[in-house]
Amino acid sequence: MEFSRLSAIRFFFFLSILGPFLLFASSCSRQTEERPKVSNGILDLRNWDFQRHPLLDLTGDWEYYPDRLASDGNAEEKKSLFAVPGVWLGSGYATMKLGILLPKNAPNLAFYSKGQATAFDLYVNGAKVLKSGIVGKDPVSSVPESRGSFGEWDPSGVSIAQVTLDISNFHHRFGGLWYGIRFGESSALREEVARFRDMDWFLGGIFFLTFLYHVGLFLIRRQDLSPLPFGLFCFTLFVRILVTEDKILLSYFPSFGYLTSMRLEYLTFYLSLPLGLHYLRSIYPDLFPRIWMGSFYGLGLIFSVGAFLPFPEASKAIPYYQASMFASIILVVYVLVLAVWKRKPYAIPLMVGYLILSTAGVIEVLAAHQILKTRSFLPLGLFVLVMIETFVLSFRYGDLYREKEALAEELRRINSTYSSFVPSKFLGLLDKQSVAELKPGDQVRREVTILFSDIRSFTEISESMNAKENFEFLNTYLGRMEPVIRTNRGFVEKYFGDGIMALFSETPDDAVLAAIQMQKEILIYNRQRLAEGRRPFQVGIGIHTGSSILGLIGAEGRMDSTVISEAVHVAARLEVLTKFYGTGILLSQDTYSSLKNRERFLSRKLDRIPIKGKKEEVFIYEIGDYLSDAEQEAFRNSKTGFEKGVDAFLSGRFMDAGETFREALRVYPGDKTSLLYLKRCTEQMPVVGGRLPDSDPI
């Protein structure tokens, strides 16, 4: 165990040194010796030794004749210089010329061009050596092609090679030569092209095998989704290797053509970004909010649709998505720095991998905009990241397996204890790790929020069903409510037949959110019951916050958790009052005042009632977030008038209150509470301080 951990640390440390070194070495591999460059349309190689340095790039200032092709004549008056590699913005066509002064006894030579996403013909002393697509003067006659092109030329008896390049572009946002023309001794150039192609196949094979492995993991254990996006990420990288740089896919399947290859290039770019970020979120879900992930997926899908626009419009969206890539780099750095700061597992190796990939991605973008003149290092950066991510996933699954073994052992130990049942959250409040540590008398005093819920008129509903149907109904209902409570960081402390008492120890906001989602779930369940011809039902929920004693009662043979507090009685009484007011959720003033984010809820002041143990009467509040959209809008618009009516009613100004409630009903016609208050105002009920008739303090 310790050895494997140490080995992994050494491996990540090695990669952290190797990755930047490889990037640097690759970027400098062609810069170790000064190579001749084209100057004023001339490349002087008379003193060049092709045996020592068989290959070089035809970079520099070529002669440039815009809006002319070779067949049109030289048009010397329009002659200028054009830096190769280089591009122009938009559509057009041109001729470029270069004179190469050759050494004596020059070997058999060759030219090679990667896919330029345009159409061009390259002639040497009048003989066509390279060809890509069909050069034309308009979008109809010009046919682009993005395959690489290799051609040999025999320099025997020739001292000057006059290179002429006809080029046209009407299908991309950029025209010109994106990449330089590679030139040199024929066999050496052929070997270099094959070597780069083999490297692409090697990297593509690794990405494809990694894709198969992680998709297999997902199919074996579908409840864990994390391998799936990572596998799809590797598949997009595999496809991207085939359709970028040397375009090896088109070498084997030329029928795919320019448009298909370019769209695949764009789609893999658009989709790889959110899929790569998804992996990071699967590792650190608490540091990577779901909304961020949804935003990048949304952007990727929108831009993916744009890839199917006609060309050149489809190519014009690329710079905007590159901007989102820079935003993702900032986000990734933020998440990983936070992960390192919080000492999250695997944070350091993942930071190394993403930084290497980010560096390669920035170089890729700068090269695409002709700011840097270099070969793409993105496949190398992706390779390093995928290797790190694969090792992280492997160790993560190892950790999960060991955790599973530990949990299995813990479960066996728990199963050997008494058959008592205590909620796991309750254990945490008592500062216990397992049920085996509990004993009668364990207790703690805590500030908690108590939620009481009860089905209205349950007796009538139950009388219409037999015993089996009653239990099926209750289990279905409780099975829908308990996960909602648990999702909002609460737990069910007691079931009272159709009633639920739940505790929330962190914030009152959790209890209110749970109540809202419970009411929404009941609406969904009622629609299902109506479709089955069954009777719908309503549930009242009361919520109160206060100091409570939580503990265990019973004996060693049988224990049970309990809560001792007046707060329990208050929450239960508020649940009863929901039926009187015609509301679904009621909060006490203590709960309402303790809300950390009160503005997020749709609430209103409902009444003022007496509570045992308090000298002054306290307000109660209604929550309306579970209502339909139309009802919520009416609830919100009538809130101010309704609360003015409540204040007037509590002050004994029944006539003013009645008029105010009538106005509120015009805005919210179905408001049962406004109808109740209007009735009380009309009858001028003998209330004192808003207290219900013949009611005792709760």
mmCIF file of all heavy atoms in Angstrom, residues 31-69:
data_model
loop_
_atom_site.group_PDB
_atom_site.id
_atom_site.type_symbol
_atom_site.label_atom_id
_atom_site.label_comp_id
_atom_site.label_asym_id
_atom_site.label_seq_id
_atom_site.Cartn_x
_atom_site.Cartn_y
_atom_site.Cartn_z
ATOM 1 N N GLN A 31 14.872 25.015 -33.687
ATOM 2 C CA GLN A 31 15.493 26.320 -33.494
ATOM 3 C C GLN A 31 16.934 26.196 -32.993
ATOM 4 O O GLN A 31 17.539 27.167 -32.599
ATOM 5 C CB GLN A 31 14.680 27.128 -32.455
ATOM 6 C CG GLN A 31 13.187 27.159 -32.700
ATOM 7 C CD GLN A 31 12.810 27.824 -33.998
ATOM 8 O OE1 GLN A 31 13.513 28.722 -34.452
ATOM 9 N NE2 GLN A 31 11.712 27.392 -34.600
ATOM 10 N N THR A 32 17.466 24.932 -32.971
ATOM 11 C CA THR A 32 18.788 24.747 -32.384
ATOM 12 C C THR A 32 19.896 25.340 -33.247
ATOM 13 O O THR A 32 20.981 25.592 -32.776
ATOM 14 C CB THR A 32 19.052 23.246 -32.177
ATOM 15 O OG1 THR A 32 18.851 22.560 -33.423
ATOM 16 C CG2 THR A 32 18.087 22.685 -31.143
ATOM 17 N N GLU A 33 19.637 25.489 -34.545
ATOM 18 C CA GLU A 33 20.648 26.070 -35.422
ATOM 19 C C GLU A 33 19.966 27.042 -36.363
ATOM 20 O O GLU A 33 18.855 26.801 -36.827
ATOM 21 C CB GLU A 33 21.349 24.962 -36.202
ATOM 22 C CG GLU A 33 22.467 25.468 -37.098
ATOM 23 C CD GLU A 33 23.218 24.324 -37.743
ATOM 24 O OE1 GLU A 33 23.145 23.203 -37.199
ATOM 25 O OE2 GLU A 33 23.861 24.555 -38.778
ATOM 26 N N GLU A 34 20.651 28.123 -36.654
ATOM 27 C CA GLU A 34 20.083 29.116 -37.547
ATOM 28 C C GLU A 34 19.883 28.519 -38.935
ATOM 29 O O GLU A 34 20.816 27.995 -39.553
ATOM 30 C CB GLU A 34 21.010 30.332 -37.620
ATOM 31 C CG GLU A 34 20.444 31.487 -38.417
ATOM 32 C CD GLU A 34 19.248 32.134 -37.725
ATOM 33 O OE1 GLU A 34 19.101 31.922 -36.519
ATOM 34 O OE2 GLU A 34 18.471 32.827 -38.411
ATOM 35 N N ARG A 35 18.663 28.550 -39.427
ATOM 36 C CA ARG A 35 18.355 28.029 -40.750
ATOM 37 C C ARG A 35 18.134 29.192 -41.702
ATOM 38 O O ARG A 35 17.624 30.245 -41.307
ATOM 39 C CB ARG A 35 17.104 27.148 -40.706
ATOM 40 C CG ARG A 35 17.218 25.944 -39.768
ATOM 41 C CD ARG A 35 18.297 24.960 -40.245
ATOM 42 N NE ARG A 35 18.483 23.866 -39.316
ATOM 43 C CZ ARG A 35 17.926 22.662 -39.465
ATOM 44 N NH1 ARG A 35 17.129 22.436 -40.490
ATOM 45 N NH2 ARG A 35 18.169 21.711 -38.599
ATOM 46 N N PRO A 36 18.487 29.020 -42.966
ATOM 47 C CA PRO A 36 18.267 30.111 -43.935
ATOM 48 C C PRO A 36 16.779 30.346 -44.131
ATOM 49 O O PRO A 36 15.967 29.417 -44.090
ATOM 50 C CB PRO A 36 18.929 29.589 -45.210
ATOM 51 C CG PRO A 36 18.963 28.104 -45.053
ATOM 52 C CD PRO A 36 19.125 27.851 -43.578
ATOM 53 N N LYS A 37 16.426 31.605 -44.341
ATOM 54 C CA LYS A 37 15.043 31.976 -44.580
ATOM 55 C C LYS A 37 14.922 32.703 -45.906
ATOM 56 O O LYS A 37 15.887 33.273 -46.428
ATOM 57 C CB LYS A 37 14.522 32.865 -43.445
ATOM 58 C CG LYS A 37 14.321 32.140 -42.134
ATOM 59 C CD LYS A 37 13.631 33.033 -41.116
ATOM 60 C CE LYS A 37 13.355 32.279 -39.828
ATOM 61 N NZ LYS A 37 12.618 33.121 -38.848
ATOM 62 N N VAL A 38 13.718 32.682 -46.427
ATOM 63 C CA VAL A 38 13.439 33.364 -47.678
ATOM 64 C C VAL A 38 13.501 34.873 -47.447
ATOM 65 O O VAL A 38 12.895 35.395 -46.507
ATOM 66 C CB VAL A 38 12.055 32.967 -48.224
ATOM 67 C CG1 VAL A 38 11.768 33.701 -49.530
ATOM 68 C CG2 VAL A 38 11.970 31.458 -48.412
ATOM 69 N N SER A 39 14.217 35.577 -48.299
ATOM 70 C CA SER A 39 14.329 37.030 -48.198
ATOM 71 C C SER A 39 14.088 37.631 -49.573
ATOM 72 O O SER A 39 14.792 37.284 -50.543
ATOM 73 C CB SER A 39 15.716 37.427 -47.670
ATOM 74 O OG SER A 39 15.846 38.827 -47.630
ATOM 75 N N ASN A 40 13.076 38.504 -49.653
ATOM 76 C CA ASN A 40 12.724 39.161 -50.919
ATOM 77 C C ASN A 40 12.491 38.148 -52.042
ATOM 78 O O ASN A 40 12.900 38.343 -53.188
ATOM 79 C CB ASN A 40 13.808 40.154 -51.335
ATOM 80 C CG ASN A 40 13.888 41.336 -50.386
ATOM 81 O OD1 ASN A 40 12.859 41.869 -49.960
ATOM 82 N ND2 ASN A 40 15.103 41.727 -50.050
ATOM 83 N N GLY A 41 11.885 37.029 -51.666
ATOM 84 C CA GLY A 41 11.540 36.028 -52.665
ATOM 85 C C GLY A 41 12.683 35.137 -53.089
ATOM 86 O O GLY A 41 12.562 34.375 -54.052
ATOM 87 N N ILE A 42 13.832 35.163 -52.375
ATOM 88 C CA ILE A 42 14.998 34.357 -52.724
ATOM 89 C C ILE A 42 15.440 33.568 -51.492
ATOM 90 O O ILE A 42 15.530 34.111 -50.389
ATOM 91 C CB ILE A 42 16.175 35.226 -53.224
ATOM 92 C CG1 ILE A 42 15.765 35.981 -54.494
ATOM 93 C CG2 ILE A 42 17.417 34.375 -53.477
ATOM 94 C CD1 ILE A 42 15.494 35.074 -55.682
ATOM 95 N N LEU A 43 15.717 32.269 -51.684
ATOM 96 C CA LEU A 43 16.290 31.425 -50.639
ATOM 97 C C LEU A 43 17.632 30.910 -51.158
ATOM 98 O O LEU A 43 17.693 30.119 -52.107
ATOM 99 C CB LEU A 43 15.348 30.259 -50.309
ATOM 100 C CG LEU A 43 15.858 29.281 -49.246
ATOM 101 C CD1 LEU A 43 16.047 29.975 -47.901
ATOM 102 C CD2 LEU A 43 14.904 28.092 -49.112
ATOM 103 N N ASP A 44 18.699 31.373 -50.544
ATOM 104 C CA ASP A 44 20.047 31.042 -51.006
ATOM 105 C C ASP A 44 20.534 29.798 -50.271
ATOM 106 O O ASP A 44 20.866 29.832 -49.081
ATOM 107 C CB ASP A 44 20.993 32.212 -50.747
ATOM 108 C CG ASP A 44 22.350 32.010 -51.423
ATOM 109 O OD1 ASP A 44 22.610 30.895 -51.953
ATOM 110 O OD2 ASP A 44 23.149 32.956 -51.418
ATOM 111 N N LEU A 45 20.595 28.665 -50.985
ATOM 112 C CA LEU A 45 21.071 27.402 -50.409
ATOM 113 C C LEU A 45 22.351 26.932 -51.095
ATOM 114 O O LEU A 45 22.692 25.736 -51.022
ATOM 115 C CB LEU A 45 19.982 26.325 -50.547
ATOM 116 C CG LEU A 45 18.655 26.587 -49.839
ATOM 117 C CD1 LEU A 45 17.694 25.418 -50.074
ATOM 118 C CD2 LEU A 45 18.869 26.795 -48.347
ATOM 119 N N ARG A 46 23.068 27.839 -51.758
ATOM 120 C CA ARG A 46 24.256 27.428 -52.502
ATOM 121 C C ARG A 46 25.332 26.834 -51.599
ATOM 122 O O ARG A 46 26.105 25.977 -52.032
ATOM 123 C CB ARG A 46 24.806 28.622 -53.287
ATOM 124 C CG ARG A 46 23.958 28.989 -54.502
ATOM 125 C CD ARG A 46 24.447 30.252 -55.172
ATOM 126 N NE ARG A 46 24.306 31.429 -54.314
ATOM 127 C CZ ARG A 46 24.590 32.670 -54.690
ATOM 128 N NH1 ARG A 46 25.044 32.891 -55.915
ATOM 129 N NH2 ARG A 46 24.421 33.671 -53.853
ATOM 130 N N ASN A 47 25.380 27.268 -50.339
ATOM 131 C CA ASN A 47 26.378 26.741 -49.401
ATOM 132 C C ASN A 47 25.761 25.800 -48.370
ATOM 133 O O ASN A 47 26.370 25.514 -47.341
ATOM 134 C CB ASN A 47 27.083 27.901 -48.692
ATOM 135 C CG ASN A 47 27.842 28.786 -49.657
ATOM 136 O OD1 ASN A 47 28.495 28.282 -50.588
ATOM 137 N ND2 ASN A 47 27.759 30.104 -49.461
ATOM 138 N N TRP A 48 24.553 25.348 -48.648
ATOM 139 C CA TRP A 48 23.849 24.490 -47.678
ATOM 140 C C TRP A 48 24.263 23.028 -47.864
ATOM 141 O O TRP A 48 24.383 22.540 -48.987
ATOM 142 C CB TRP A 48 22.347 24.629 -47.882
ATOM 143 C CG TRP A 48 21.530 23.915 -46.837
ATOM 144 C CD1 TRP A 48 20.831 22.760 -46.995
ATOM 145 C CD2 TRP A 48 21.337 24.311 -45.496
ATOM 146 N NE1 TRP A 48 20.205 22.407 -45.829
ATOM 147 C CE2 TRP A 48 20.506 23.353 -44.881
ATOM 148 C CE3 TRP A 48 21.798 25.388 -44.746
ATOM 149 C CZ2 TRP A 48 20.115 23.436 -43.550
ATOM 150 C CZ3 TRP A 48 21.411 25.481 -43.412
ATOM 151 C CH2 TRP A 48 20.580 24.517 -42.827
ATOM 152 N N ASP A 49 24.496 22.365 -46.745
ATOM 153 C CA ASP A 49 24.913 20.964 -46.762
ATOM 154 C C ASP A 49 23.690 20.086 -46.474
ATOM 155 O O ASP A 49 23.269 19.946 -45.325
ATOM 156 C CB ASP A 49 26.002 20.727 -45.716
ATOM 157 C CG ASP A 49 26.596 19.325 -45.808
ATOM 158 O OD1 ASP A 49 26.065 18.486 -46.584
ATOM 159 O OD2 ASP A 49 27.568 19.051 -45.091
ATOM 160 N N PHE A 50 23.128 19.490 -47.510
ATOM 161 C CA PHE A 50 21.939 18.658 -47.325
ATOM 162 C C PHE A 50 22.248 17.344 -46.605
ATOM 163 O O PHE A 50 21.341 16.692 -46.087
ATOM 164 C CB PHE A 50 21.286 18.357 -48.686
ATOM 165 C CG PHE A 50 20.381 19.457 -49.154
ATOM 166 C CD1 PHE A 50 20.810 20.364 -50.111
ATOM 167 C CD2 PHE A 50 19.095 19.596 -48.643
ATOM 168 C CE1 PHE A 50 19.979 21.382 -50.559
ATOM 169 C CE2 PHE A 50 18.262 20.616 -49.081
ATOM 170 C CZ PHE A 50 18.691 21.515 -50.036
ATOM 171 N N GLN A 51 23.508 16.938 -46.572
ATOM 172 C CA GLN A 51 23.851 15.715 -45.851
ATOM 173 C C GLN A 51 23.778 15.932 -44.344
ATOM 174 O O GLN A 51 23.310 15.070 -43.604
ATOM 175 C CB GLN A 51 25.253 15.244 -46.259
ATOM 176 C CG GLN A 51 25.322 14.709 -47.689
ATOM 177 C CD GLN A 51 26.684 14.130 -48.011
ATOM 178 O OE1 GLN A 51 27.668 14.346 -47.290
ATOM 179 N NE2 GLN A 51 26.752 13.388 -49.125
ATOM 180 N N ARG A 52 24.265 17.087 -43.882
ATOM 181 C CA ARG A 52 24.200 17.386 -42.437
ATOM 182 C C ARG A 52 22.809 17.844 -42.027
ATOM 183 O O ARG A 52 22.311 17.477 -40.961
ATOM 184 C CB ARG A 52 25.224 18.475 -42.083
ATOM 185 C CG ARG A 52 26.671 18.030 -42.131
ATOM 186 C CD ARG A 52 27.563 19.158 -41.639
ATOM 187 N NE ARG A 52 27.170 19.581 -40.300
ATOM 188 C CZ ARG A 52 27.496 20.769 -39.771
ATOM 189 N NH1 ARG A 52 28.198 21.645 -40.495
ATOM 190 N NH2 ARG A 52 27.120 21.076 -38.544
ATOM 191 N N HIS A 53 22.172 18.661 -42.837
ATOM 192 C CA HIS A 53 20.860 19.225 -42.519
ATOM 193 C C HIS A 53 19.938 19.002 -43.713
ATOM 194 O O HIS A 53 19.794 19.880 -44.570
ATOM 195 C CB HIS A 53 20.974 20.717 -42.196
ATOM 196 C CG HIS A 53 21.983 21.029 -41.139
ATOM 197 N ND1 HIS A 53 21.816 20.669 -39.830
ATOM 198 C CD2 HIS A 53 23.194 21.667 -41.219
ATOM 199 C CE1 HIS A 53 22.875 21.065 -39.130
ATOM 200 N NE2 HIS A 53 23.720 21.675 -39.946
ATOM 201 N N PRO A 54 19.356 17.837 -43.792
ATOM 202 C CA PRO A 54 18.592 17.497 -45.002
ATOM 203 C C PRO A 54 17.269 18.230 -45.140
ATOM 204 O O PRO A 54 16.724 18.272 -46.245
ATOM 205 C CB PRO A 54 18.351 15.986 -44.849
ATOM 206 C CG PRO A 54 18.400 15.739 -43.377
ATOM 207 C CD PRO A 54 19.397 16.715 -42.825
ATOM 208 N N LEU A 55 16.729 18.817 -44.068
ATOM 209 C CA LEU A 55 15.388 19.395 -44.130
ATOM 210 C C LEU A 55 15.368 20.828 -43.614
ATOM 211 O O LEU A 55 16.130 21.180 -42.701
ATOM 212 C CB LEU A 55 14.410 18.550 -43.299
ATOM 213 C CG LEU A 55 14.271 17.072 -43.686
ATOM 214 C CD1 LEU A 55 13.361 16.356 -42.712
ATOM 215 C CD2 LEU A 55 13.756 16.937 -45.113
ATOM 216 N N LEU A 56 14.495 21.638 -44.176
ATOM 217 C CA LEU A 56 14.268 22.989 -43.683
ATOM 218 C C LEU A 56 12.900 23.459 -44.153
ATOM 219 O O LEU A 56 12.261 22.827 -45.011
ATOM 220 C CB LEU A 56 15.357 23.945 -44.158
ATOM 221 C CG LEU A 56 15.411 24.305 -45.657
ATOM 222 C CD1 LEU A 56 16.160 25.610 -45.834
ATOM 223 C CD2 LEU A 56 16.090 23.212 -46.460
ATOM 224 N N ASP A 57 12.454 24.571 -43.576
ATOM 225 C CA ASP A 57 11.163 25.148 -43.932
ATOM 226 C C ASP A 57 11.359 26.314 -44.895
ATOM 227 O O ASP A 57 12.306 27.108 -44.747
ATOM 228 C CB ASP A 57 10.426 25.655 -42.690
ATOM 229 C CG ASP A 57 9.953 24.533 -41.803
ATOM 230 O OD1 ASP A 57 9.348 23.573 -42.327
ATOM 231 O OD2 ASP A 57 10.206 24.603 -40.580
ATOM 232 N N LEU A 58 10.460 26.432 -45.863
ATOM 233 C CA LEU A 58 10.518 27.554 -46.811
ATOM 234 C C LEU A 58 9.778 28.752 -46.212
ATOM 235 O O LEU A 58 8.749 29.208 -46.711
ATOM 236 C CB LEU A 58 9.899 27.139 -48.151
ATOM 237 C CG LEU A 58 10.562 25.944 -48.842
ATOM 238 C CD1 LEU A 58 9.893 25.657 -50.176
ATOM 239 C CD2 LEU A 58 12.059 26.185 -49.040
ATOM 240 N N THR A 59 10.290 29.244 -45.091
ATOM 241 C CA THR A 59 9.667 30.360 -44.388
ATOM 242 C C THR A 59 10.371 31.663 -44.723
ATOM 243 O O THR A 59 11.575 31.684 -45.028
ATOM 244 C CB THR A 59 9.719 30.131 -42.866
ATOM 245 O OG1 THR A 59 11.086 29.997 -42.463
ATOM 246 C CG2 THR A 59 8.963 28.875 -42.487
ATOM 247 N N GLY A 60 9.624 32.731 -44.664
ATOM 248 C CA GLY A 60 10.185 34.042 -44.949
ATOM 249 C C GLY A 60 9.294 34.826 -45.884
ATOM 250 O O GLY A 60 8.094 34.544 -46.019
ATOM 251 N N ASP A 61 9.870 35.810 -46.554
ATOM 252 C CA ASP A 61 9.109 36.730 -47.401
ATOM 253 C C ASP A 61 9.111 36.267 -48.862
ATOM 254 O O ASP A 61 10.109 36.416 -49.575
ATOM 255 C CB ASP A 61 9.683 38.147 -47.294
ATOM 256 C CG ASP A 61 9.564 38.706 -45.891
ATOM 257 O OD1 ASP A 61 8.566 38.383 -45.227
ATOM 258 O OD2 ASP A 61 10.474 39.454 -45.480
ATOM 259 N N TRP A 62 7.988 35.715 -49.305
ATOM 260 C CA TRP A 62 7.802 35.308 -50.696
ATOM 261 C C TRP A 62 7.292 36.505 -51.505
ATOM 262 O O TRP A 62 6.694 37.437 -50.961
ATOM 263 C CB TRP A 62 6.783 34.183 -50.791
ATOM 264 C CG TRP A 62 7.196 32.854 -50.237
ATOM 265 C CD1 TRP A 62 7.901 32.616 -49.105
ATOM 266 C CD2 TRP A 62 6.897 31.581 -50.816
ATOM 267 N NE1 TRP A 62 8.070 31.269 -48.904
ATOM 268 C CE2 TRP A 62 7.457 30.598 -49.950
ATOM 269 C CE3 TRP A 62 6.233 31.155 -51.958
ATOM 270 C CZ2 TRP A 62 7.359 29.233 -50.212
ATOM 271 C CZ3 TRP A 62 6.131 29.792 -52.215
ATOM 272 C CH2 TRP A 62 6.688 28.839 -51.357
ATOM 273 N N GLU A 63 7.517 36.449 -52.822
ATOM 274 C CA GLU A 63 6.860 37.417 -53.700
ATOM 275 C C GLU A 63 5.373 37.122 -53.722
ATOM 276 O O GLU A 63 4.957 35.954 -53.756
ATOM 277 C CB GLU A 63 7.437 37.332 -55.116
ATOM 278 C CG GLU A 63 8.875 37.806 -55.213
ATOM 279 C CD GLU A 63 9.403 37.720 -56.635
ATOM 280 O OE1 GLU A 63 8.612 37.347 -57.544
ATOM 281 O OE2 GLU A 63 10.580 38.018 -56.838
ATOM 282 N N TYR A 64 4.597 38.172 -53.722
ATOM 283 C CA TYR A 64 3.145 38.007 -53.575
ATOM 284 C C TYR A 64 2.420 38.840 -54.627
ATOM 285 O O TYR A 64 2.662 40.040 -54.779
ATOM 286 C CB TYR A 64 2.745 38.454 -52.167
ATOM 287 C CG TYR A 64 1.280 38.387 -51.859
ATOM 288 C CD1 TYR A 64 0.597 37.179 -51.927
ATOM 289 C CD2 TYR A 64 0.573 39.528 -51.488
ATOM 290 C CE1 TYR A 64 -0.745 37.102 -51.629
ATOM 291 C CE2 TYR A 64 -0.772 39.458 -51.190
ATOM 292 C CZ TYR A 64 -1.438 38.250 -51.265
ATOM 293 O OH TYR A 64 -2.769 38.183 -50.970
ATOM 294 N N TYR A 65 1.531 38.181 -55.388
ATOM 295 C CA TYR A 65 0.761 38.842 -56.444
ATOM 296 C C TYR A 65 -0.718 38.621 -56.145
ATOM 297 O O TYR A 65 -1.290 37.597 -56.544
ATOM 298 C CB TYR A 65 1.119 38.260 -57.818
ATOM 299 C CG TYR A 65 2.587 38.353 -58.131
ATOM 300 C CD1 TYR A 65 3.455 37.319 -57.763
ATOM 301 C CD2 TYR A 65 3.110 39.466 -58.785
ATOM 302 C CE1 TYR A 65 4.809 37.408 -58.048
ATOM 303 C CE2 TYR A 65 4.463 39.553 -59.068
ATOM 304 C CZ TYR A 65 5.311 38.529 -58.694
ATOM 305 O OH TYR A 65 6.642 38.614 -58.966
ATOM 306 N N PRO A 66 -1.348 39.550 -55.427
ATOM 307 C CA PRO A 66 -2.754 39.351 -55.051
ATOM 308 C C PRO A 66 -3.677 39.466 -56.255
ATOM 309 O O PRO A 66 -3.401 40.184 -57.223
ATOM 310 C CB PRO A 66 -3.000 40.482 -54.043
ATOM 311 C CG PRO A 66 -2.016 41.541 -54.405
ATOM 312 C CD PRO A 66 -0.799 40.821 -54.907
ATOM 313 N N ASP A 67 -4.770 38.740 -56.179
ATOM 314 C CA ASP A 67 -5.821 38.776 -57.199
ATOM 315 C C ASP A 67 -5.285 38.413 -58.577
ATOM 316 O O ASP A 67 -5.777 38.890 -59.610
ATOM 317 C CB ASP A 67 -6.499 40.148 -57.249
ATOM 318 C CG ASP A 67 -7.112 40.538 -55.920
ATOM 319 O OD1 ASP A 67 -7.659 39.633 -55.241
ATOM 320 O OD2 ASP A 67 -7.020 41.716 -55.540
ATOM 321 N N ARG A 68 -4.232 37.594 -58.606
ATOM 322 C CA ARG A 68 -3.676 37.129 -59.870
ATOM 323 C C ARG A 68 -3.309 35.655 -59.728
ATOM 324 O O ARG A 68 -2.912 35.194 -58.662
ATOM 325 C CB ARG A 68 -2.404 37.905 -60.241
ATOM 326 C CG ARG A 68 -2.568 39.404 -60.337
ATOM 327 C CD ARG A 68 -3.336 39.848 -61.556
ATOM 328 N NE ARG A 68 -2.591 39.579 -62.785
ATOM 329 C CZ ARG A 68 -3.030 39.902 -63.989
ATOM 330 N NH1 ARG A 68 -4.205 40.504 -64.124
ATOM 331 N NH2 ARG A 68 -2.312 39.643 -65.066
ATOM 332 N N LEU A 69 -3.442 34.905 -60.794
ATOM 333 C CA LEU A 69 -2.928 33.553 -60.866
ATOM 334 C C LEU A 69 -1.808 33.523 -61.887
ATOM 335 O O LEU A 69 -1.653 34.455 -62.697
ATOM 336 C CB LEU A 69 -4.039 32.561 -61.242
ATOM 337 C CG LEU A 69 -5.184 32.441 -60.232
ATOM 338 C CD1 LEU A 69 -6.231 31.446 -60.715
ATOM 339 C CD2 LEU A 69 -4.663 32.035 -58.862
#
